[in-house]
């Protein structure tokens, strides 16, 4: 423990995302992980529940007085349950990275259309959308960061250079995710026998990540209605988005498209531009988004693949990346390849 | 063995598709499987190479005189290698189901654009495209049937009702396949460690199944350029096509779309219309194509999923379905659920 | 429906084993599946719960008056819950195949040591252990058949020739099973993310299948205490037992061992003797047990592998095999390869 | 790059083990990875062949003058091919960790019985068996370390406390491995479709790791002939050994057995003693061996499970652990959890 460490708690550490955040922060040079809390598994050690993470701490029932006496918090609560708890933490001056959807949508009406009445709408304006490759400066100054959803992370990174250039006329996003994206709850949908040797879509046709993607594409310059359809695959971690983009300028030379991506990402440590179609195995257990851009000359479409680890760049390691920015420590600290 | 059995040979029975065709025909009440041939594994018993198929026959090197003295043949040769051999069989009056692409495209120029010079263009006109749900009558009278590709089978069945109504303005097809679709060759791409915990696209952006799909959509009434992108998944058998269709009539009531599908398929034994997104596990080791039709009210798109077993309805059992039609035996003989 | 069909009900058809039994009996030429019952999913169609089985019948809540008015029943209830229900069916004269453990152990004290007090001990004497390869004649005359456990099926078949010759001095059985063996309940243990990329033992060191195996080895002539340890593998169906046998006659020529197996199994339709180590993929969705026998010349041990599909030969299709024997119809009816 | 770094080359970096060694050494604080060589893929960048490792170095054809001018080398060559190359490196004074089997067996006759004539028998005496938990001091002083096989690593660690106490009367080892253990070669055995939904044994009954395990058990105090049987599982990385031990003192209290393990491993950073049966998922991508010890009271046997990642503790990270000892840097450098 060195003096410059910031104290931090992870709330909701019994779930996949919270547990991974705890693992990363437990070994982080600039943070001192003080508490891990949970609703289930209270009293169990985290390294009993998740032996692979090797965090020898006991899960406690959340107590805002005890566990909120820290510099920072990661909140891994369900949508709707998160906002009131975040509000309490903010009242105590704790900097928060919220892994839920509660503060991702800047427009209250949109949130309430896709989710339910917002428990703390007054905090929405304070939150910064935590995609560092787009909002690095704002995150650095933020006290409340809304960590993006996993699908939006991959999709927005895959499409940002086109969106910023105003090139997206229309886009179909076919997303594929490993089962950890469905969370730790044991259900028929996550039973091994259901998933094994199978693939099918879910959340058709209104998955809640849709407005989050549209919000960010619009903010970048492409205000479009998207078609977004996720599928469940027989793998544990990993998420691929296949984006089929009709361009406003169908005759745009492919070289110029590639140049847009290089300009956007050549200096980004956690984005890799590759030529072959991006696959998820290459980013497993990393904070990296791997992107490949192709052109269908026959239809004029751009086809962009974005691959991430849904639990890492899609959730927990991106949360740590945000914390790093919020506290002015090296952006790659604790999550470097 | 009953008198009404038709003699048949399977050429190329060491590959996945040919071996499965042999298994189905070995147990078929109306066919007498006489020979199985192969380029590799000559002299091995088929039930040694594929124990699960339990066909106690020895793979022989193909000899047209010996093995062509039959009523019918299934030819499971690579594209380009198939046509000359099929031609020899046809000269002997053997009815042929060709599993290769050599006779699927009715337009020679298109074939030569996507493949290579056609070795026997004069036979193209004789061939019938072997998708029974579209061409049942022609198949019944055919002597040469071009068995469809696996992706085209699922895609065309998924889109036919819309295509026939002239409704397809544009379509993006995101296809997902198990590894058996890549064949039996051991390569880096089919190595377990490459595929496991992975997903990525291949054949971007010009997969050879594209013109086959376009040909059939046009024949049905929707002459469009499609975007077709296959992905490889960590499962052995199974293929899902996710079709995102921009409709010529975006305000068409969803009920009317569903009615088009019921009209097309309610009497089809091997097509199942379902409400939840179609998944591949439900069709494993069957000749069934499972289809679900959804509507994205926000964009107006129809989203259609088609699921098949790529080796069964996608190849071998559909080949037997075609043989059944060609010989006037019950369409479900030997492949019934 | 032909006149000679026997009416049958499947009780507990919402679980994996009962559902598969229903599938097999729904298509069985000699049985008329009249009812399928369940505790959960009452009112749902079986082909909604298990689309791959394609049984268009509605799951009903069990009613002995309504559903017990049949010639035969398959009871797929949990241990302890089965016996009282079986007793009621027997009082009505219904022939029963019980998939639970309730009537497998012939010694009441052993049952109560490994399970709990037996609800209907008076019926134990009536039950025949339903392993057709050992007890074909008794099964043919039985009115109550106790279907063996999946591990005992594979293990006893793998060891019977050695046991019958009194050769087993000691045996270690290392068993490996796919996840369907754990049943349909969604738990942390069956969650995809728990199983994927994993393997570990469970039920160490006292798995309940131990006394069942010892009972049958003793009945055959080898009264030994066994070491039996099951492991869970990332596959859905399939079970392999690796049996390491110290022989009473360590110098016995290997040829003589192989002769014992040929004598035992050459005429058995559902046992395959193979030379290479038996694997589970070759028996997937079959009623076949595949066995290979090897010799470790250095230690004198015989090593025997037995592979089955745990849901088929390990449970449901073996149950149908037993029904076939009980009703005097062809043993392979409805379950033939 | 800091002054205290030792220069190192990895020979054979196109294979799974060599590539992982390169990845670990490329990021190691105390080594400066200078060269990576290969027989195949010469001229390709290592991060093209293995994108997940992110080593931006070009694979070169091995040139002893150019690539042997280093302080240390990891040699990942096939058995038999390694020894002559190692000899050349040793002549130049390069410290070597050899991943092959060439120097693991201290008895030449045993090597030649299980492998083939040894190309450099004179070097056998110089080599130290690189299992740090057993030979830490000797490794620290060694110039040539024979890195153990993956199965022996897990097995010897699982059995060492019993062997050292002279307790092993007899042992059956049933081993289970992921496919990466079979190497990068694309063969029918490593094809996804062969492995998926399958499990079977291989190398029956004489796997080459047998004498290596026997050598080390004897060195510890238990001179026994073992039965060792590996199985291939549908997972990529991970290896579990299930050891069934007949004890020389069958009445030894279980507590005393557990005490032996605590004494042996409580201070070992890379060995974890756990109570539930050890599984491989908990050690994926770590240098850790996870061990659980159980007692079968009925037979008196001890049952010990040992789980490792076959590519990490089973090969490459253990190689780095050995290098750390050889160069006097912290044992966990570059491989710490």
């Amino acid at each position: 423990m060195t003096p410059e460490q910031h104290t931090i708690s992870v709330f909701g550490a019994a779930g996949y995302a919270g547990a991974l955040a705890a693992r990363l922060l437990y070994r982080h040079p600039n943070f001192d992980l003080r508490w891990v809390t949970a609703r289930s598994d209270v009293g169990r050690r985290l390294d009993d529940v998740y032996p692979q993470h090797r965090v020898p701490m006991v899960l406690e029932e959340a107590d805002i007085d005890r566990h909120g006496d820290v510099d920072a918090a990661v909140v891994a609560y369900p949508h709707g349950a998160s906002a009131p708890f975040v509000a309490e933490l903010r009242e105590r001056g704790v900097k928060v990275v919220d892994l839920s959807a509660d503060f991702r949508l800047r427009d209250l009406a949109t949130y309430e259309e896709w989710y339910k009445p917002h428990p703390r709408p007054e905090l929405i304006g304070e939150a910064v959308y935590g995609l560092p490759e787009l909002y690095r400066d704002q995150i650095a100054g933020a006290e409340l960061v809304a960590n993006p959803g996993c699908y939006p992370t991959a999709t927005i990174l895959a499409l940002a250079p086109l969106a910023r250039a105003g090139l997206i006329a229309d886009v179909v996003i076919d997303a594929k995710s490993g089962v950890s994206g469905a969370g730790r709850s044991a259900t028929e949908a996550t039973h091994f026998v259901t998933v094994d040797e199978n693939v099918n879509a879910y959340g058709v046709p209104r998955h809640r990540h849709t407005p989050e993607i549209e919000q960010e594409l619009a903010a970048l310059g492409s205000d479009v209605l998207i078609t977004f359809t996720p599928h469940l695959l027989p793998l544990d971690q990993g998420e691929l988005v296949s984006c089929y983009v009709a361009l406003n300028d169908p005759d745009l030379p492919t070289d110029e498209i590639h140049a847009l991506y290089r300009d956007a990402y050549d200096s980004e440590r956690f984005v890799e531009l590759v030529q072959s179609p991006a696959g998820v195995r290459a980013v497993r257990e990393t904070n990296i988004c791997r992107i490949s851009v192709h052109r269908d000359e026959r239809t004029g479409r751009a086809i962009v693949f974005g691959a991430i680890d849904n639990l890492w760049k899609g959730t927990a390691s991106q949360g740590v990346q945000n914390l790093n920015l919020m506290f002015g420590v090296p952006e790659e600290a604790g999550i470097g390849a």
Side-chain angles (χ1 to χ4, degrees), chain A residues 4-6 24-25 28-31 132 136 139-140 269-270 287 317-337:
Chain A
E4 74 277 26
Q5 286 192 319
H6 308 283
L24 295 171
L25 291 166
H28 196 293
N30 304 107
F31 288 95
R136 186 167 281 117
I139 295 165
R269 181 190 182 98
F270 293 114
N287 192 53
S317 68
Q318 180 152 273
V320 175
Q321 187 181 3
N322 283 321
L323 284 166
N324 290 341
L325 289 167
M326 293 162 81
F327 283 88
V329 306
E331 188 171 335
E332 71 277 14
I335 52 171

Side-chain angles (χ1 to χ4, degrees), chain A residues 95-97 106 124-146 164 216 219-220 268 321-328 331:
Chain A
K95 290 187 181 181
V96 175
V97 169
R106 285 185 284 272
I124 292 176
E126 183 188 335
V128 173
Y129 190 72
L131 194 53
E133 288 75 14
L134 295 189
Y135 297 105
R136 186 167 281 117
D137 294 345
Q138 296 94 311
I139 295 165
E143 309 239 298
L144 168 56
V145 166
R164 198 178 283 128
E216 296 304 318
L220 287 161
E268 285 294 341
Q321 187 181 3
N322 283 321
L323 284 166
N324 290 341
L325 289 167
M326 293 162 81
F327 283 88
E331 188 171 335

